[in-house]
Every structure is written in C-alpha cells, then in structure tokens.
Amino acid sequence: MRINDVLKGKPSHDVITIAPDASVRELVDLLANHNVGALIVSVDGQTVDGIVSERDVVRRLHDREDVLDILVSEIMTTTVRTCEGTEALTELMQVMTEHRIRHVPVLTDGKLTGIISIGDVVKNRIGELEFERDQLDNYVHQT
C-alpha cells in the first residue's frame, strides 16, 4: 500500500497551513476549529517551512506564560521529515516509529499535497486487519 492510498481514504484532502508570522493564539484556534493535532508552517501554502503541533504549545507553556502571544516561528520545528505519496506505507510507519513523529507532510514534486498522521496510519492498518479477518472467517466457514 502507498501513502497516496491512505490519503485518498481521508475524509478531507485539505491541508491546513499557517504562516510563520501568525500568533500561537491563531494556531490554537486553527487546531481546534479543524480538529487536528498539527499544522504545516508555510509562507505560501505549497512549501514546508516547518511543522507545529499541540505538543509544541504545551511544552512552551512551562517556560512562557505569554506563549499565546508569540509567533508560530518561535515554537515550530524547522527540520521536517517529509514523504512522497508514492512511497510505501510500511516505510513511513518505520520512520514515524523510529523518530517518534506523529505527523508527516506529503509532497509531490516538492509541493505540499497532504499530511498523514499516525492516526491515519493506525486506522488504515486496522482496516487491513479487519479485512484479513473477514476473509479468513469466510474461508473457514465455507469449507
């Protein structure tokens, strides 16, 4: 299975981005309104300048009481692991596990085309296992 196959199964194909000069307050609003755990930071909506997650906000709360008023660029991760939609899902699963990352931007020809989360991967894997179980169950009960 390819990463694009998982993206096709997502209810929304929109990739929500935020500008690096947006406030963390704006970030929190977008995360809540779109019910997502991370956003791609992008100046133009097509390139990946960084990624920022709920965890980034929470980790800064300990150090800064004014975290909601600072810029996204101050808390975002700038070294972002990305993938191509044509890559095998098993490879992405390994990368996500090894590097303990939950969200990976998907690029096509260097342009942002999607984002895949660990939840997307798990949901897909559960679907595969349920299909295999059903196939085995049918096989056993037909003989």
Side-chain angles (χ1 to χ4, degrees):
M1 175 161 286
R2 302 282 171 207
I3 293 166
N4 280 338
D5 297 326
V6 176
L7 290 177
K8 288 176 190 170
K10 290 179 73 163
S12 173
H13 298 287
D14 296 334
V15 182
I16 310 304
T17 63
I18 190 163
D21 60 352
S23 72
V24 172
R25 186 176 310 278
E26 292 172 83
L27 166 70
V28 171
D29 286 342
L30 282 172
L31 291 171
N33 289 336
H34 293 282
N35 195 30
V36 294
L39 294 179
I40 304 302
V41 181
S42 177
V43 293
D44 60 7
Q46 294 185 346
T47 58
V48 177
D49 300 308
I51 192 165
V52 63
S53 70
E54 296 166 326
R55 285 182 167 199
D56 294 319
V57 175
V58 170
R59 287 184 180 131
R60 298 320 185 288
L61 280 172
H62 177 70
D63 300 328
R64 297 191 64 162
E65 292 179 15
D66 67 338
V67 70
L68 293 177
D69 299 316
I70 65 175
L71 299 178
V72 167
S73 60
E74 295 181 56
I75 69 167
M76 70 183 195
T77 300
T78 55
T79 304
V80 182
R81 293 195 179 272
T82 62
C83 64
E84 290 279 333
T86 56
E87 292 177 28
L89 185 60
T90 53
E91 292 174 23
L92 178 62
M93 291 168 57
Q94 185 175 356
V95 168
M96 292 176 97
T97 301
E98 285 178 11
H99 298 281
R100 299 182 54 132
I101 52 179
R102 295 176 174 211
H103 301 87
V104 178
V106 181
L107 306 178
T108 302
D109 298 325
K111 292 186 179 182
L112 181 63
T113 55
I115 185 168
I116 192 160
S117 72
I118 194 71
D120 298 329
V121 173
V122 169
K123 182 180 176 183
N124 178 269
R125 186 67 183 129
I126 288 171
E128 288 177 342
L129 292 172
E130 287 174 345
F131 176 77
E132 289 175 17
R133 180 204 60 211
D134 292 345
Q135 293 299 310
L136 288 170
D137 189 48
N138 287 339
Y139 177 76
V140 168
H141 289 95
Q142 287 178 358
T143 54

